[in-house]
Amino acid sequence: MNREMILVLDFGGQYNQLIARRVRECNVYCEVHPYSLSIEKIRAMNPKGIIFTGGPDSVYAEEAPNCASELFELGIPVFGICYGSQLMAYMLGGSVATAPVSEYGRAEVDTSGSSALVDGVGRKTICWMSHTDYIEQAPEGFSVTASTTVCPVAAMECRERDLYAVQFHPEVMHTQEGMKMLFNFVRKICKCSGDWKMESFAEKTIRELREKIGCGKVLCALSGGVDSSVAAVLLSKVIGKQLTCVFVDHGLLRKKEANEVEEIFGPGGSYDLNFIRVNAGERFLARLKGVEEPEAKRKIIGEEFIRVFEEEAKKIGAVDFLVQGTIYPDVIESGLGKSAVIKSHHNVGGLPDYVDFKEIIEPLRLLFKDEVRKAGLELGIPEHLVFRQPFPGPGLGVRIIGEVTEEKVRMVQEADQIYGEEIVKAGLHKELAQYFAALTNMRSVGCMGDGRTYDYAVVLRAVTTTDFMTAEYAHLPWELLDTVSSRIVNEVKGVNRVLYDCSGKPPATIEFE
Ligand code: XMP
C-alpha cells in the first residue's frame, strides 16, 4: 500500500507509543518497531521519516541498542529523541558523556538560530528532560539548535543530511511546544501530507469484539474506575446480557466507594447489567499479612483478584472470556515490551502464570487515559463517571507503605476522604488530574493535648497531567493544606503528621508506593 508512513524505532523508552500517538495526531500513519528491524525491511517499508525513541541504556553499555549506520545514508529524515539523540551523536562521531548534572523533569530550553525542527517555537521554551548521559559535542556538520544551562546540546541538526535530534521528550504534554516540533518533523521536514484518519475507536472495537466473542459468555472485572467502567459499558453494548460484571470489594477501596459502585452499576442503577458484588476484604488482608514490598503486594492482589473471578466464573458456568480495563500506560510500565519495568500494574504484569479462561480481552489496551475518556464519552457514559479520578487496581494496598493492616486501611481511607472533601470545597477538583492521601510507614513523636504520641505520617499528593506518563506536582494553596492537615490530625486516630509530596513524574511516579 502506498500510504505515507513514519517509522518509530523503539529503543525501550517509556514514551515510545506516545510518540506514535503524537504522529497520528498529525494525521500521519505511524508504526512502532523494535530498533533491531533490519535495514532491508526498513527500505522495503519506505517510510517518509524515522524516529528513534528514548531508552534506558547508555550508548556505552555492553550490548547497547543501536542501528545500522547505513540508516543515516538512506536519504530518509531521521529524528533522534533522548537516547535516540545520543545514539545519533555517538554513531556519527560526536561525543556523549555522563552529564555532570542529570536533568529530570522541567527544564527551560533556549532555542537559538535558525532550525527546521524548532521553527516557530519560542526562544525560551519549557521541555521535559529525563537523562543521565548527554551529548557533549555534536558531530561534525551538525549545528546546535538548543541548549539548557546544564545541557550544551539540547537539540542539534544537520539539514543537508536531514538528521535531527533532541535531548528532551517532545512527545510528552509537559514539553509545551513538543507537538509543534513533531509536526515540523513529520509534516514539514518529511513532507507528509497529513491525510490519514483513525477509525472511530468505539465503532472499530465494537465490530472486532462482536466477531471474536460470538455467542460466548463473558465476565468483566469491574472496579468502578474509569477504565473498567468504559470496558464494561463497551462490552454491554456489544453483547448485552452475555456479559456479567463482577465487582470485587477487596477492602482496599476508598471510603464509601464500594457502595457508590454498586449504586451505579448494580440493580436499579444506571445500566442494565448482570452485576455481582463479592465482599472479599478479609481474604485479601490475610494474603497481604506481613508483605511489605510494593511489587509483591501488587502481584498478590492481582492474583487474588483473578482467583476470585475464576470462582465466580465457575458459579456462572461456561465462561469463555475475561474482560479487563487494562490501558496502555499499564502495559508499558509493566515492562512487557523493551521498556524498563517500573511496576507491575495490576492485571498485567501482576497476572499469575495460569489463568483459567479461554482468553482475556483487553479492549482498551492501546489507549491512553485521555483517549479512554474520549471513548467513554463516545459511548454515552455520563461525564461525572468518565472524569472520575483514576484509582489503581491494587487500591489502597499500594497507597500504604509497608505492611497493609485493617487499621492502616482505616487511617488512609479517612485521611483521603477529608482531603477529597476539602479539595472539592476549594473548587480545585477539576484542575487536578489526581489527588489522594497515602500512608507512610513512618511513625514519629508528636504531642497532642498534654500527651506524647508516636503515630503515623500521612502524605498528600496532588498532580496535574493529561496523559499520566509525566506529571507535575500541584501548587496547592497553603490555606487548603492548613485546613486538611489540621482536620486529618484531629479526626484520624493514629496520625500525628501530614506531609505534602513535591515530586514530579519523573523522578517519582504518581502513586506513592
Ligand atoms: P504511576 O504511579 O505509575 O501511575 O505514575 C500512573 C497512573 O496509573 C494509575 N495506576 C494504576 N491504574 N492499575 C490501574 O488501573 C494499577 O495497578 C495502577 N497503578 C497506577 C495511577 O493511579 C495513575 O493514574
Side-chain angles (χ1 to χ4, degrees), residues 223 227-228 298 325-327 329-330 333-334 342-348 369 389-395 398-399 433-434 436 461 463 465 467-471 505 508-513:
S223 71
D227 309 337
S228 65
R298 280 180 173 270
T326 312
I327 68 169
D330 307 344
E333 297 198 352
S334 292
I342 305 293
K343 57 179 86 161
S344 294
H345 277 243
H346 163 52
N347 295 342
V348 189
K369 196 70 153 197
Q389 276 198 65
F391 186 65
V398 292
R399 289 184 183 170
Q434 207 167 348
F436 59 85
R461 184 110 174 95
V463 296
T465 175
D467 53 31
F468 295 81
M469 299 296 287
T470 56
K505 172 185 180 178
T509 60
I510 293 174
E511 290 297 333
F512 189 93
E513 61 187 281

mmCIF file of all heavy atoms in Angstrom, residues 223 227-228 298 325-327 329-330 333-334 342-348 369 389-395 398-399 433-434 436 461 463 465 467-471 505 508-513, ligand 1:
data_model
loop_
_atom_site.group_PDB
_atom_site.id
_atom_site.type_symbol
_atom_site.label_atom_id
_atom_site.label_comp_id
_atom_site.label_asym_id
_atom_site.label_seq_id
_atom_site.Cartn_x
_atom_site.Cartn_y
_atom_site.Cartn_z
ATOM 1 N N SER A 223 -14.257 -2.405 38.391
ATOM 2 C CA SER A 223 -13.817 -1.824 39.667
ATOM 3 C C SER A 223 -14.557 -0.530 39.953
ATOM 4 O O SER A 223 -14.465 0.010 41.042
ATOM 5 C CB SER A 223 -12.323 -1.540 39.613
ATOM 6 O OG SER A 223 -12.092 -0.437 38.746
ATOM 7 N N ASP A 227 -11.459 3.131 33.683
ATOM 8 C CA ASP A 227 -11.076 2.164 32.656
ATOM 9 C C ASP A 227 -12.022 0.966 32.622
ATOM 10 O O ASP A 227 -12.531 0.590 31.566
ATOM 11 C CB ASP A 227 -9.643 1.667 32.894
ATOM 12 C CG ASP A 227 -8.669 2.811 33.080
ATOM 13 O OD1 ASP A 227 -8.987 3.915 32.602
ATOM 14 O OD2 ASP A 227 -7.611 2.608 33.695
ATOM 15 N N SER A 228 -12.253 0.367 33.788
ATOM 16 C CA SER A 228 -13.091 -0.831 33.744
ATOM 17 C C SER A 228 -14.544 -0.458 33.472
ATOM 18 O O SER A 228 -15.282 -1.241 32.875
ATOM 19 C CB SER A 228 -12.943 -1.660 35.018
ATOM 20 O OG SER A 228 -13.421 -0.966 36.128
ATOM 21 N N ARG A 298 1.459 -5.924 44.828
ATOM 22 C CA ARG A 298 0.739 -5.854 43.550
ATOM 23 C C ARG A 298 0.456 -7.256 43.003
ATOM 24 O O ARG A 298 -0.625 -7.535 42.525
ATOM 25 C CB ARG A 298 1.566 -5.086 42.518
ATOM 26 C CG ARG A 298 1.476 -3.594 42.668
ATOM 27 C CD ARG A 298 2.305 -2.880 41.623
ATOM 28 N NE ARG A 298 2.041 -1.447 41.714
ATOM 29 C CZ ARG A 298 1.093 -0.813 41.054
ATOM 30 N NH1 ARG A 298 0.318 -1.454 40.216
ATOM 31 N NH2 ARG A 298 0.902 0.484 41.213
ATOM 32 N N GLY A 325 -10.001 -3.857 32.124
ATOM 33 C CA GLY A 325 -9.861 -2.471 31.661
ATOM 34 C C GLY A 325 -8.415 -2.009 31.614
ATOM 35 O O GLY A 325 -8.141 -0.845 31.863
ATOM 36 N N THR A 326 -7.502 -2.899 31.264
ATOM 37 C CA THR A 326 -6.084 -2.531 31.167
ATOM 38 C C THR A 326 -5.897 -1.423 30.126
ATOM 39 O O THR A 326 -6.439 -1.523 29.028
ATOM 40 C CB THR A 326 -5.287 -3.761 30.685
ATOM 41 O OG1 THR A 326 -5.679 -4.864 31.467
ATOM 42 C CG2 THR A 326 -3.811 -3.525 30.774
ATOM 43 N N ILE A 327 -5.124 -0.402 30.455
ATOM 44 C CA ILE A 327 -4.859 0.636 29.452
ATOM 45 C C ILE A 327 -3.362 0.689 29.133
ATOM 46 O O ILE A 327 -2.568 0.029 29.792
ATOM 47 C CB ILE A 327 -5.407 2.027 29.872
ATOM 48 C CG1 ILE A 327 -4.644 2.590 31.066
ATOM 49 C CG2 ILE A 327 -6.889 1.935 30.169
ATOM 50 C CD1 ILE A 327 -4.978 4.047 31.322
ATOM 51 N N PRO A 329 -0.662 2.777 29.436
ATOM 52 C CA PRO A 329 0.427 3.018 30.390
ATOM 53 C C PRO A 329 0.656 1.810 31.307
ATOM 54 O O PRO A 329 1.779 1.519 31.697
ATOM 55 C CB PRO A 329 -0.050 4.230 31.188
ATOM 56 C CG PRO A 329 -0.994 4.921 30.280
ATOM 57 C CD PRO A 329 -1.673 3.833 29.489
ATOM 58 N N ASP A 330 -0.416 1.067 31.648
ATOM 59 C CA ASP A 330 -0.251 -0.141 32.472
ATOM 60 C C ASP A 330 0.643 -1.132 31.738
ATOM 61 O O ASP A 330 1.500 -1.784 32.327
ATOM 62 C CB ASP A 330 -1.595 -0.864 32.715
ATOM 63 C CG ASP A 330 -2.670 0.043 33.275
ATOM 64 O OD1 ASP A 330 -2.313 1.121 33.761
ATOM 65 O OD2 ASP A 330 -3.854 -0.335 33.220
ATOM 66 N N GLU A 333 4.370 0.307 31.459
ATOM 67 C CA GLU A 333 5.112 0.383 32.717
ATOM 68 C C GLU A 333 5.265 -0.986 33.366
ATOM 69 O O GLU A 333 6.045 -1.155 34.283
ATOM 70 C CB GLU A 333 4.459 1.407 33.642
ATOM 71 C CG GLU A 333 4.539 2.783 33.005
ATOM 72 C CD GLU A 333 4.334 3.932 33.965
ATOM 73 O OE1 GLU A 333 3.981 3.693 35.112
ATOM 74 O OE2 GLU A 333 4.541 5.065 33.522
ATOM 75 N N SER A 334 4.527 -1.973 32.884
ATOM 76 C CA SER A 334 4.735 -3.333 33.395
ATOM 77 C C SER A 334 5.898 -3.994 32.673
ATOM 78 O O SER A 334 6.238 -5.136 32.957
ATOM 79 C CB SER A 334 3.477 -4.170 33.203
ATOM 80 O OG SER A 334 2.462 -3.687 34.032
ATOM 81 N N ILE A 342 8.769 -0.476 35.587
ATOM 82 C CA ILE A 342 8.624 0.499 36.671
ATOM 83 C C ILE A 342 7.847 -0.176 37.795
ATOM 84 O O ILE A 342 8.223 -0.162 38.939
ATOM 85 C CB ILE A 342 7.855 1.754 36.189
ATOM 86 C CG1 ILE A 342 8.527 2.359 34.957
ATOM 87 C CG2 ILE A 342 7.743 2.788 37.305
ATOM 88 C CD1 ILE A 342 9.892 2.949 35.164
ATOM 89 N N LYS A 343 6.730 -0.776 37.455
ATOM 90 C CA LYS A 343 5.957 -1.527 38.438
ATOM 91 C C LYS A 343 5.017 -2.459 37.705
ATOM 92 O O LYS A 343 4.653 -2.203 36.562
ATOM 93 C CB LYS A 343 5.187 -0.577 39.355
ATOM 94 C CG LYS A 343 4.264 0.355 38.608
ATOM 95 C CD LYS A 343 3.495 1.263 39.532
ATOM 96 C CE LYS A 343 4.239 2.513 39.902
ATOM 97 N NZ LYS A 343 3.357 3.568 40.408
ATOM 98 N N SER A 344 4.613 -3.531 38.345
ATOM 99 C CA SER A 344 3.700 -4.467 37.700
ATOM 100 C C SER A 344 2.288 -3.974 37.890
ATOM 101 O O SER A 344 1.738 -4.086 38.970
ATOM 102 C CB SER A 344 3.790 -5.831 38.360
ATOM 103 O OG SER A 344 5.037 -6.362 38.132
ATOM 104 N N HIS A 345 1.741 -3.383 36.862
ATOM 105 C CA HIS A 345 0.389 -2.875 37.034
ATOM 106 C C HIS A 345 -0.562 -4.029 37.194
ATOM 107 O O HIS A 345 -0.433 -5.060 36.539
ATOM 108 C CB HIS A 345 -0.019 -2.006 35.846
ATOM 109 C CG HIS A 345 0.484 -0.612 35.998
ATOM 110 N ND1 HIS A 345 -0.329 0.465 36.113
ATOM 111 C CD2 HIS A 345 1.735 -0.154 36.113
ATOM 112 C CE1 HIS A 345 0.402 1.552 36.266
ATOM 113 N NE2 HIS A 345 1.663 1.191 36.265
ATOM 114 N N HIS A 346 -1.456 -3.817 38.116
ATOM 115 C CA HIS A 346 -2.433 -4.834 38.405
ATOM 116 C C HIS A 346 -3.114 -5.279 37.122
ATOM 117 O O HIS A 346 -3.468 -4.474 36.282
ATOM 118 C CB HIS A 346 -3.448 -4.231 39.364
ATOM 119 C CG HIS A 346 -4.694 -5.021 39.427
ATOM 120 N ND1 HIS A 346 -4.678 -6.359 39.671
ATOM 121 C CD2 HIS A 346 -5.957 -4.666 39.259
ATOM 122 C CE1 HIS A 346 -5.909 -6.790 39.654
ATOM 123 N NE2 HIS A 346 -6.705 -5.775 39.407
ATOM 124 N N ASN A 347 -3.280 -6.561 36.977
ATOM 125 C CA ASN A 347 -3.941 -7.159 35.814
ATOM 126 C C ASN A 347 -3.051 -7.285 34.591
ATOM 127 O O ASN A 347 -3.507 -7.702 33.549
ATOM 128 C CB ASN A 347 -5.197 -6.384 35.381
ATOM 129 C CG ASN A 347 -6.261 -6.432 36.444
ATOM 130 O OD1 ASN A 347 -6.207 -7.281 37.321
ATOM 131 N ND2 ASN A 347 -7.201 -5.531 36.379
ATOM 132 N N VAL A 348 -1.801 -6.861 34.665
ATOM 133 C CA VAL A 348 -0.938 -7.067 33.503
ATOM 134 C C VAL A 348 0.251 -7.898 33.959
ATOM 135 O O VAL A 348 0.193 -9.117 33.947
ATOM 136 C CB VAL A 348 -0.480 -5.732 32.878
ATOM 137 C CG1 VAL A 348 0.213 -5.998 31.560
ATOM 138 C CG2 VAL A 348 -1.652 -4.814 32.680
ATOM 139 N N LYS A 369 -5.046 7.275 28.972
ATOM 140 C CA LYS A 369 -6.185 7.659 29.812
ATOM 141 C C LYS A 369 -7.114 8.667 29.132
ATOM 142 O O LYS A 369 -8.331 8.512 29.147
ATOM 143 C CB LYS A 369 -5.641 8.261 31.110
ATOM 144 C CG LYS A 369 -6.636 8.357 32.212
ATOM 145 C CD LYS A 369 -6.939 6.993 32.692
ATOM 146 C CE LYS A 369 -7.385 6.864 34.089
ATOM 147 N NZ LYS A 369 -7.251 5.462 34.530
ATOM 148 N N GLN A 389 -11.546 10.388 39.037
ATOM 149 C CA GLN A 389 -10.087 10.249 39.189
ATOM 150 C C GLN A 389 -9.657 8.813 38.993
ATOM 151 O O GLN A 389 -10.359 7.909 39.424
ATOM 152 C CB GLN A 389 -9.723 10.616 40.597
ATOM 153 C CG GLN A 389 -9.559 12.056 40.790
ATOM 154 C CD GLN A 389 -8.790 12.260 42.064
ATOM 155 O OE1 GLN A 389 -7.633 11.897 42.194
ATOM 156 N NE2 GLN A 389 -9.461 12.844 43.002
ATOM 157 N N PRO A 390 -8.512 8.610 38.392
ATOM 158 C CA PRO A 390 -8.031 7.229 38.302
ATOM 159 C C PRO A 390 -7.733 6.671 39.697
ATOM 160 O O PRO A 390 -7.382 7.429 40.600
ATOM 161 C CB PRO A 390 -6.737 7.344 37.504
ATOM 162 C CG PRO A 390 -6.480 8.781 37.294
ATOM 163 C CD PRO A 390 -7.583 9.590 37.842
ATOM 164 N N PHE A 391 -7.889 5.388 39.810
ATOM 165 C CA PHE A 391 -7.600 4.718 41.086
ATOM 166 C C PHE A 391 -6.941 3.389 40.742
ATOM 167 O O PHE A 391 -7.454 2.648 39.911
ATOM 168 C CB PHE A 391 -8.919 4.499 41.837
ATOM 169 C CG PHE A 391 -8.737 3.957 43.229
ATOM 170 C CD1 PHE A 391 -8.107 4.714 44.210
ATOM 171 C CD2 PHE A 391 -9.198 2.703 43.565
ATOM 172 C CE1 PHE A 391 -7.940 4.222 45.494
ATOM 173 C CE2 PHE A 391 -9.036 2.198 44.851
ATOM 174 C CZ PHE A 391 -8.413 2.959 45.810
ATOM 175 N N PRO A 392 -5.784 3.108 41.322
ATOM 176 C CA PRO A 392 -5.069 1.887 40.893
ATOM 177 C C PRO A 392 -5.828 0.623 41.251
ATOM 178 O O PRO A 392 -6.489 0.577 42.298
ATOM 179 C CB PRO A 392 -3.757 1.952 41.666
ATOM 180 C CG PRO A 392 -4.021 2.838 42.828
ATOM 181 C CD PRO A 392 -5.075 3.815 42.400
ATOM 182 N N GLY A 393 -5.724 -0.390 40.414
ATOM 183 C CA GLY A 393 -6.375 -1.672 40.678
ATOM 184 C C GLY A 393 -6.069 -2.210 42.076
ATOM 185 O O GLY A 393 -6.978 -2.620 42.798
ATOM 186 N N PRO A 394 -4.790 -2.201 42.505
ATOM 187 C CA PRO A 394 -4.485 -2.729 43.843
ATOM 188 C C PRO A 394 -4.924 -1.783 44.960
ATOM 189 O O PRO A 394 -4.677 -2.047 46.135
ATOM 190 C CB PRO A 394 -2.962 -2.875 43.835
ATOM 191 C CG PRO A 394 -2.540 -2.683 42.430
ATOM 192 C CD PRO A 394 -3.584 -1.874 41.745
ATOM 193 N N GLY A 395 -5.536 -0.671 44.589
ATOM 194 C CA GLY A 395 -6.168 0.226 45.557
ATOM 195 C C GLY A 395 -5.233 0.724 46.639
ATOM 196 O O GLY A 395 -4.049 0.976 46.416
ATOM 197 N N VAL A 398 -1.500 -0.215 47.562
ATOM 198 C CA VAL A 398 -0.253 0.427 47.140
ATOM 199 C C VAL A 398 -0.192 1.894 47.583
ATOM 200 O O VAL A 398 0.696 2.621 47.175
ATOM 201 C CB VAL A 398 -0.013 0.297 45.616
ATOM 202 C CG1 VAL A 398 0.262 -1.145 45.247
ATOM 203 C CG2 VAL A 398 -1.148 0.868 44.805
ATOM 204 N N ARG A 399 -1.143 2.321 48.395
ATOM 205 C CA ARG A 399 -1.010 3.671 48.954
ATOM 206 C C ARG A 399 -0.697 3.593 50.446
ATOM 207 O O ARG A 399 -0.799 4.577 51.173
ATOM 208 C CB ARG A 399 -2.289 4.477 48.710
ATOM 209 C CG ARG A 399 -2.442 4.847 47.257
ATOM 210 C CD ARG A 399 -3.625 5.725 46.986
ATOM 211 N NE ARG A 399 -3.738 5.981 45.560
ATOM 212 C CZ ARG A 399 -4.764 6.561 44.985
ATOM 213 N NH1 ARG A 399 -5.782 6.986 45.712
ATOM 214 N NH2 ARG A 399 -4.791 6.757 43.682
ATOM 215 N N ALA A 433 -5.434 16.486 38.096
ATOM 216 C CA ALA A 433 -5.652 15.200 37.425
ATOM 217 C C ALA A 433 -5.858 14.112 38.467
ATOM 218 O O ALA A 433 -6.636 13.186 38.265
ATOM 219 C CB ALA A 433 -4.450 14.861 36.557
ATOM 220 N N GLN A 434 -5.162 14.220 39.567
ATOM 221 C CA GLN A 434 -5.264 13.182 40.591
ATOM 222 C C GLN A 434 -4.823 13.745 41.934
ATOM 223 O O GLN A 434 -3.843 14.492 42.009
ATOM 224 C CB GLN A 434 -4.371 12.002 40.200
ATOM 225 C CG GLN A 434 -4.854 10.696 40.760
ATOM 226 C CD GLN A 434 -4.183 9.497 40.126
ATOM 227 O OE1 GLN A 434 -3.516 9.619 39.109
ATOM 228 N NE2 GLN A 434 -4.353 8.342 40.721
ATOM 229 N N PHE A 436 -4.722 12.415 46.228
ATOM 230 C CA PHE A 436 -5.065 11.365 47.189
ATOM 231 C C PHE A 436 -4.135 11.428 48.388
ATOM 232 O O PHE A 436 -3.086 12.075 48.337
ATOM 233 C CB PHE A 436 -4.960 9.975 46.529
ATOM 234 C CG PHE A 436 -3.598 9.663 45.983
ATOM 235 C CD1 PHE A 436 -2.597 9.134 46.786
ATOM 236 C CD2 PHE A 436 -3.298 9.922 44.642
ATOM 237 C CE1 PHE A 436 -1.333 8.853 46.262
ATOM 238 C CE2 PHE A 436 -2.039 9.645 44.118
ATOM 239 C CZ PHE A 436 -1.058 9.108 44.940
ATOM 240 N N ARG A 461 -0.844 13.924 48.089
ATOM 241 C CA ARG A 461 -0.290 14.020 46.733
ATOM 242 C C ARG A 461 -1.346 14.687 45.868
ATOM 243 O O ARG A 461 -2.553 14.394 45.987
ATOM 244 C CB ARG A 461 -0.010 12.590 46.229
ATOM 245 C CG ARG A 461 0.666 12.522 44.878
ATOM 246 C CD ARG A 461 2.083 12.045 45.036
ATOM 247 N NE ARG A 461 2.790 11.822 43.790
ATOM 248 C CZ ARG A 461 3.580 12.728 43.219
ATOM 249 N NH1 ARG A 461 3.718 13.936 43.730
ATOM 250 N NH2 ARG A 461 4.252 12.420 42.122
ATOM 251 N N VAL A 463 -1.473 16.045 41.617
ATOM 252 C CA VAL A 463 -0.684 16.259 40.406
ATOM 253 C C VAL A 463 -1.546 16.777 39.260
ATOM 254 O O VAL A 463 -2.755 16.566 39.232
ATOM 255 C CB VAL A 463 0.018 14.953 39.924
ATOM 256 C CG1 VAL A 463 1.023 14.463 40.936
ATOM 257 C CG2 VAL A 463 -0.971 13.879 39.564
ATOM 258 N N THR A 465 -1.618 16.541 35.068
ATOM 259 C CA THR A 465 -1.097 15.793 33.918
ATOM 260 C C THR A 465 -2.256 15.533 32.965
ATOM 261 O O THR A 465 -3.415 15.615 33.367
ATOM 262 C CB THR A 465 -0.484 14.446 34.336
ATOM 263 O OG1 THR A 465 -0.100 13.721 33.171
ATOM 264 C CG2 THR A 465 -1.443 13.570 35.122
ATOM 265 N N ASP A 467 -1.680 12.902 30.237
ATOM 266 C CA ASP A 467 -1.556 11.514 29.799
ATOM 267 C C ASP A 467 -1.049 10.583 30.906
ATOM 268 O O ASP A 467 -0.891 9.395 30.690
ATOM 269 C CB ASP A 467 -0.658 11.418 28.564
ATOM 270 C CG ASP A 467 0.682 12.095 28.804
ATOM 271 O OD1 ASP A 467 1.144 12.092 29.956
ATOM 272 O OD2 ASP A 467 1.267 12.624 27.849
ATOM 273 N N PHE A 468 -0.759 11.095 32.080
ATOM 274 C CA PHE A 468 -0.325 10.311 33.239
ATOM 275 C C PHE A 468 1.039 9.638 33.045
ATOM 276 O O PHE A 468 1.475 8.868 33.884
ATOM 277 C CB PHE A 468 -1.402 9.277 33.656
ATOM 278 C CG PHE A 468 -2.664 9.952 34.136
ATOM 279 C CD1 PHE A 468 -3.588 10.424 33.220
ATOM 280 C CD2 PHE A 468 -2.896 10.152 35.473
ATOM 281 C CE1 PHE A 468 -4.730 11.086 33.632
ATOM 282 C CE2 PHE A 468 -4.038 10.816 35.901
ATOM 283 C CZ PHE A 468 -4.952 11.276 34.968
ATOM 284 N N MET A 469 1.702 9.935 31.919
ATOM 285 C CA MET A 469 3.037 9.392 31.710
ATOM 286 C C MET A 469 4.068 10.300 32.385
ATOM 287 O O MET A 469 5.120 9.857 32.809
ATOM 288 C CB MET A 469 3.357 9.296 30.212
ATOM 289 C CG MET A 469 2.414 8.401 29.449
ATOM 290 S SD MET A 469 2.528 6.703 29.990
ATOM 291 C CE MET A 469 4.089 6.208 29.310
ATOM 292 N N THR A 470 3.772 11.586 32.390
ATOM 293 C CA THR A 470 4.593 12.527 33.136
ATOM 294 C C THR A 470 3.617 13.374 33.947
ATOM 295 O O THR A 470 2.444 13.455 33.598
ATOM 296 C CB THR A 470 5.387 13.466 32.208
ATOM 297 O OG1 THR A 470 4.453 14.134 31.359
ATOM 298 C CG2 THR A 470 6.400 12.711 31.369
ATOM 299 N N ALA A 471 4.091 13.966 35.010
ATOM 300 C CA ALA A 471 3.179 14.775 35.827
ATOM 301 C C ALA A 471 3.970 15.809 36.604
ATOM 302 O O ALA A 471 5.162 15.636 36.850
ATOM 303 C CB ALA A 471 2.419 13.869 36.797
ATOM 304 N N LYS A 505 6.742 13.534 38.048
ATOM 305 C CA LYS A 505 6.994 12.220 37.427
ATOM 306 C C LYS A 505 7.600 12.481 36.064
ATOM 307 O O LYS A 505 6.890 13.020 35.215
ATOM 308 C CB LYS A 505 5.697 11.444 37.296
ATOM 309 C CG LYS A 505 5.854 10.147 36.478
ATOM 310 C CD LYS A 505 4.539 9.450 36.249
ATOM 311 C CE LYS A 505 4.742 8.197 35.438
ATOM 312 N NZ LYS A 505 3.509 7.452 35.226
ATOM 313 N N ALA A 508 9.607 10.826 40.366
ATOM 314 C CA ALA A 508 8.755 9.903 41.133
ATOM 315 C C ALA A 508 7.732 9.274 40.186
ATOM 316 O O ALA A 508 7.831 9.432 38.966
ATOM 317 C CB ALA A 508 8.053 10.662 42.251
ATOM 318 N N THR A 509 6.766 8.557 40.722
ATOM 319 C CA THR A 509 5.598 8.146 39.944
ATOM 320 C C THR A 509 4.423 8.897 40.548
ATOM 321 O O THR A 509 4.587 9.603 41.546
ATOM 322 C CB THR A 509 5.346 6.634 40.041
ATOM 323 O OG1 THR A 509 5.138 6.306 41.405
ATOM 324 C CG2 THR A 509 6.501 5.837 39.476
ATOM 325 N N ILE A 510 3.266 8.750 39.953
ATOM 326 C CA ILE A 510 2.103 9.449 40.507
ATOM 327 C C ILE A 510 1.684 8.785 41.812
ATOM 328 O O ILE A 510 1.494 9.440 42.830
ATOM 329 C CB ILE A 510 0.949 9.482 39.490
ATOM 330 C CG1 ILE A 510 1.342 10.355 38.309
ATOM 331 C CG2 ILE A 510 -0.330 10.004 40.148
ATOM 332 C CD1 ILE A 510 0.369 10.378 37.172
ATOM 333 N N GLU A 511 1.552 7.477 41.790
ATOM 334 C CA GLU A 511 1.211 6.778 43.034
ATOM 335 C C GLU A 511 2.373 6.903 44.008
ATOM 336 O O GLU A 511 3.500 7.199 43.618
ATOM 337 C CB GLU A 511 0.912 5.301 42.738
ATOM 338 C CG GLU A 511 -0.382 5.083 41.981
ATOM 339 C CD GLU A 511 -1.623 5.536 42.742
ATOM 340 O OE1 GLU A 511 -1.601 5.554 43.985
ATOM 341 O OE2 GLU A 511 -2.619 5.879 42.095
ATOM 342 N N PHE A 512 2.089 6.646 45.264
ATOM 343 C CA PHE A 512 3.102 6.754 46.316
ATOM 344 C C PHE A 512 3.172 5.384 46.954
ATOM 345 O O PHE A 512 2.342 5.034 47.777
ATOM 346 C CB PHE A 512 2.627 7.814 47.317
ATOM 347 C CG PHE A 512 3.652 8.203 48.341
ATOM 348 C CD1 PHE A 512 4.491 9.285 48.116
ATOM 349 C CD2 PHE A 512 3.778 7.505 49.523
ATOM 350 C CE1 PHE A 512 5.439 9.648 49.061
ATOM 351 C CE2 PHE A 512 4.726 7.861 50.473
ATOM 352 C CZ PHE A 512 5.558 8.939 50.245
ATOM 353 N N GLU A 513 4.110 4.570 46.472
ATOM 354 C CA GLU A 513 4.101 3.195 46.980
ATOM 355 C C GLU A 513 5.495 2.704 47.330
ATOM 356 O O GLU A 513 6.479 3.300 46.930
ATOM 357 C CB GLU A 513 3.469 2.257 45.970
ATOM 358 C CG GLU A 513 4.167 2.179 44.628
ATOM 359 C CD GLU A 513 3.376 1.339 43.616
ATOM 360 O OE1 GLU A 513 3.450 0.091 43.692
ATOM 361 O OE2 GLU A 513 2.699 1.943 42.779
HETATM 362 P P1 XMP B 1 2.095 5.876 38.229
HETATM 363 O O1 XMP B 1 2.057 5.730 39.709
HETATM 364 O O2 XMP B 1 2.631 4.664 37.556
HETATM 365 O O3 XMP B 1 0.582 5.969 37.785
HETATM 366 O O4 XMP B 1 2.751 7.133 37.793
HETATM 367 C C1 XMP B 1 0.103 6.383 36.532
HETATM 368 C C2 XMP B 1 -1.396 6.291 36.584
HETATM 369 O O5 XMP B 1 -1.780 4.914 36.635
HETATM 370 C C3 XMP B 1 -2.553 4.676 37.810
HETATM 371 N N1 XMP B 1 -2.159 3.363 38.285
HETATM 372 C C4 XMP B 1 -2.862 2.244 38.054
HETATM 373 N N2 XMP B 1 -4.010 2.049 37.406
HETATM 374 N N3 XMP B 1 -3.875 -0.252 37.887
HETATM 375 C C5 XMP B 1 -4.528 0.793 37.348
HETATM 376 O O6 XMP B 1 -5.602 0.599 36.778
HETATM 377 C C6 XMP B 1 -2.707 -0.121 38.550
HETATM 378 O O7 XMP B 1 -2.142 -1.073 39.043
HETATM 379 C C7 XMP B 1 -2.177 1.192 38.636
HETATM 380 N N4 XMP B 1 -1.070 1.711 39.221
HETATM 381 C C8 XMP B 1 -1.075 3.036 38.967
HETATM 382 C C9 XMP B 1 -2.192 5.785 38.769
HETATM 383 O O8 XMP B 1 -3.212 5.992 39.712
HETATM 384 C C10 XMP B 1 -2.007 6.930 37.824
HETATM 385 O O9 XMP B 1 -3.231 7.483 37.453
#
